[in-house]
Amino acid sequence: MLSKYRWWRDAVIYQVYVRSFLDSTGDGVGDLAGVRAGLPYLKKLGVDGIWLSPFYPSPQHDHGYDVADYCDVDPLFGDLAEFDLLMADARRLGVRVLLDIVPNHCSSEHPWFREALAAEPGSAARARFHFVDGRGPEGAEPPNNWHSMFGGPAWTRVGDGQWYLHMFASEQPDWNWRNPEVGAEFDRVLRFWLDRGVDGFRIDVAAGLFKHPALPDSDDPEADARTRDSVNPLAWNQPEVHEVWRHWRAVCEEYTDRDGRERLLVGEVSVPTAREHALYVRPDELHQAFFFDLLSAPWDPGAFRKVISEAMQDIAGTGSTVTWVLNNHDQVRTVTRYGEPATEGSGLGAARARAAALLMLALPGAAYIYQGEELGLPEVVDLPDDVLTDPIFRRTGSRARIRDGCRVPLPWSGQASPFGFTSGAETARPWLPQPSYFAEYATDRALADTRSFWHLYRDGLQLRSSLPQLGEGTLRWLDTPPGVLAFERGDGLVCAVNFGTAPTPAPIAGTPLLSSGPCPAGVLPGSTAAWWLADLRTAASQT
């Protein structure tokens, strides 16, 4: 039985990138039936819920983040009947289900955008998007100097001479949220899926939606092209966006009032500071928003302490809880990010990734795990150009910031591709090629090896759910030698991480309750994290 109240505050959610999770049809692309088949695996791992990447009808220019119909399932992934079966199985297993919703933009094949292309300038159909005249002779220049997040200009010209705005790919026109028809349409979308029993939504580009009404030039037009953490303030974080989240929160509360089961809104919020982040999680807005500062922090104890402290002060101070994340479908995996840029997960990067996982699971609040993180998968850095599908590569010709390497289909079993990912013949080809070394990370091998990443995550999740010191709450920093970060949670649980490579005395005597690597009593090896249960007065006297 699923608990009804406030489950989200310290939940651990597993991000399922559907097309790379498990393929049930043999076409090389993961699908909803594959997710359903994998639910027992996720239940065994110990997560509280799953977040599904977009599976809606889409031409797949950005792998589903270009939505052509928000209230159906693309045949590539199944159909609504299969979705309902997935919901039923998840409910039976006690696994909550969040859907990815994309309100900033749609597909260029969405019926409303196709209608807008066929309509006249100034028409009601075009008013749902940002269609404007260009500048210069005959309007041949873009309306302003904004750049797309995927590289290149943020404007595309249509046959009658007007331009439309797309902060991502040209196949992803931005909605005009100043038009009330857009908000009304998304009300319909929310209710469609809430009526089918979903437990909430992950909101893509939650700081977007509204653009400055005058669409003026940016003082820093290249900001969007550099990084998602340095965005054009004229196109992001406009004050009107908070009214949308207040309304969506009210819709979710309406469903909660019916049955007492809280529906979650968690936002992808890319803003410069934790204080601005906190504005999105006020009591009447989003329940939570991903805190990306931990993900982007360098492997340094001072950097980690700074971002954790700021989050606890500014975000938790709103009454929400911090939503921690180390990996997702847009970022280089921690095993590679923290270590050598190699194709193997052994070594420094893997040790640091294991330590970071224990640190994250010990922090107050909620945590999100990206599929394959629990297997210790490294980034696939050697994909040939001819298999790359990321629109960033198509628009820029550069491999910088491309996201295919973290999206390669999961290895489940066997010694050669497709590693059990697809139910087709052994010659079936996954939509992105799997390297041969994925055999070392296959799920069956991970479950059989008690020293694997999988067992570390499973043990950490079990302790997190059974120990009252973990989950929601506060932390207190402990004094430590240089290179070590340590804090205590609740009544007697201490987490410490050695960011250096040399051993150091442990902050607590005795054998740890759980550690990311071999950890003798009284010693904290380099690149290792550990949890201890101890009397707090003893802990304080030893630090």
Side-chain angles (χ1 to χ4, degrees):
M1 175 71 73
L2 293 172
S3 60
K4 294 182 178 180
Y5 300 107
R6 306 175 74 81
W7 60 270
W8 50 271
R9 296 184 65 84
D10 59 1
V12 177
I13 306 295
Y14 186 98
Q15 180 189 355
V16 176
Y17 194 70
V18 176
R19 66 185 298 120
S20 295
F21 185 71
L22 186 59
D23 168 27
S24 71
T25 63
D27 65 356
V29 177
D31 46 50
L32 293 181
V35 177
R36 186 157 66 97
L39 283 176
Y41 164 81
L42 297 176
K43 178 67 175 179
K44 186 174 183 178
L45 181 63
V47 299
D48 299 299
I50 57 175
W51 145 32
L52 300 175
S53 63
F55 50 77
Y56 317 108
S58 165
Q60 303 293 319
H61 291 294
D62 189 23
H63 294 320
Y65 285 92
D66 49 323
V67 181
D69 182 349
Y70 288 85
C71 295
D72 205 347
V73 176
D74 194 300
L76 184 68
F77 303 117
D79 54 27
L80 283 171
E82 183 59 50
F83 175 82
D84 291 340
L85 290 173
L86 169 60
M87 287 299 305
D89 281 6
R91 189 72 63 214
R92 177 177 55 81
L93 290 170
V95 176
R96 299 184 187 272
V97 178
L98 308 181
L99 303 191
D100 207 324
I101 193 166
V102 189
N104 180 73
H105 49 268
C106 66
S107 166
S108 55
E109 295 187 18
H110 190 284
W112 278 11
F113 189 73
R114 295 173 69 180
E115 180 185 355
L117 289 178
E120 297 291 327
S123 64
R126 288 202 173 181
R128 298 166 179 155
F129 303 91
H130 297 276
F131 277 88
V132 295
D133 295 329
R135 300 190 295 192
E138 300 182 349
E141 298 177 10
N144 63 30
N145 64 354
W146 295 2
H147 276 68
S148 161
M149 298 288 284
F150 288 170
W155 296 93
T156 290
R157 200 177 194 190
V158 300
D160 57 31
Q162 281 204 312
W163 299 74
Y164 69 87
L165 178 68
H166 51 87
M167 295 307 298
F168 294 88
S170 58
E171 297 89 356
Q172 295 169 292
D174 279 40
W175 292 108
N176 177 12
W177 272 85
R178 300 185 189 281
N179 185 323
E181 286 188 68
V182 174
E185 173 64 5
F186 275 92
D187 273 14
R188 182 182 75 87
V189 172
L190 291 179
R191 294 179 184 280
F192 177 87
W193 294 109
L194 289 169
D195 288 342
R196 298 190 96 89
V198 303
D199 296 286
F201 302 93
R202 178 267 187 186
I203 304 166
D204 190 58
V205 195
L209 279 61
F210 287 86
K211 280 66 180 173
H212 190 290
L215 299 175
D217 276 347
S218 171
D219 293 335
D220 187 7
E222 296 289 340
D224 291 328
R226 286 199 304 266
T227 170
R228 298 193 72 156
D229 297 321
S230 176
V231 295
N232 178 356
L234 300 170
W236 305 95
N237 203 23
Q238 295 286 300
E240 297 92 335
V241 76
H242 295 283
E243 289 303 318
V244 175
W245 306 139
R246 290 187 181 99
H247 178 69
W248 284 28
R249 179 68 175 259
V251 171
C252 287
E253 297 292 349
E254 175 188 326
Y255 280 79
T256 297
D257 289 343
R258 294 179 188 176
D259 59 15
R261 181 165 58 88
E262 282 196 294
R263 275 68 167 185
L264 169 66
L265 297 174
V266 56
E268 180 196 34
V269 174
S270 297
V271 290
T273 67
R275 185 165 299 178
E276 290 174 281
H277 182 116
L279 297 177
Y280 285 82
V281 293
R282 289 175 288 191
D284 61 344
E285 295 194 40
L286 304 179
H287 299 80
Q288 294 176 322
F290 296 115
F291 186 63
F292 293 123
D293 291 32
L294 188 67
L295 181 153
S296 59
W299 184 254
D300 174 81
F304 269 61
R305 178 164 178 164
K306 179 177 184 293
V307 299
I308 292 168
S309 296
E310 288 177 351
M312 293 302 299
Q313 174 181 317
D314 295 326
I315 299 170
T318 67
S320 180
T321 53
V322 186
T323 305
W324 308 102
V325 57
L326 290 170
N327 295 271
N328 64 33
H329 65 294
D330 289 329
Q331 302 294 332
V332 174
R333 290 186 180 273
T334 49
V335 168
T336 301
R337 197 167 76 237
Y338 290 151
E340 315 90 332
T343 57
E344 297 185 61
S346 58
L348 188 61
R352 289 173 171 177
R354 291 170 64 94
L358 275 197
L359 169 67
M360 179 180 71
L361 293 177
L363 291 172
Y368 279 65
I369 297 169
Y370 176 49
Q371 67 179 40
E373 178 180 339
E374 82 285 4
L375 301 176
L377 284 181
E379 188 84 355
V380 181
V381 298
D382 54 355
L383 292 168
D385 287 357
D386 62 355
V387 304
L388 297 179
T389 62
D390 194 322
I392 295 175
F393 180 71
R394 187 179 73 247
R395 289 179 63 84
T396 67
S398 170
R399 297 178 68 96
R401 297 174 54 227
I402 62 171
R403 301 161 296 169
D404 291 295
C406 66
R407 300 176 176 185
V408 174
L410 294 184
W412 290 88
S413 61
Q415 298 298 315
S417 183
F419 297 112
F421 165 71
T422 175
S423 62
E426 288 299 309
T427 56
R429 298 180 63 182
W431 71 277
L432 279 175
Q434 300 160 305
S436 60
Y437 60 80
F438 262 32
E440 300 297 319
Y441 302 93
T443 299
D444 61 348
R445 184 172 298 192
L447 267 64
D449 182 1
T450 58
R451 301 165 299 175
S452 70
F453 267 81
W454 192 90
H455 281 273
L456 177 71
Y457 273 80
R458 196 277 305 270
D459 293 348
L461 290 171
Q462 286 186 340
L463 287 171
R464 182 182 167 99
S465 65
S466 63
L467 293 175
Q469 295 93 333
L470 293 173
E472 185 178 357
T474 60
L475 63 75
R476 181 173 68 88
W477 294 109
L478 302 178
D479 294 331
T480 57
V484 176
L485 198 63
F487 55 86
E488 56 93 353
R489 295 293 320 280
D491 184 18
L493 189 137
V494 173
C495 173
V497 183
N498 184 352
F499 283 76
T501 56
T504 188
I508 299 295
T511 302
L513 184 66
L514 181 63
S515 62
S516 63
C519 192
V523 176
L524 184 60
S527 306
T528 299
W531 296 352
W532 292 265
L533 279 174
D535 184 274
L536 294 186
R537 291 169 296 179
T538 302
S541 69
Q542 293 179 340
T543 59

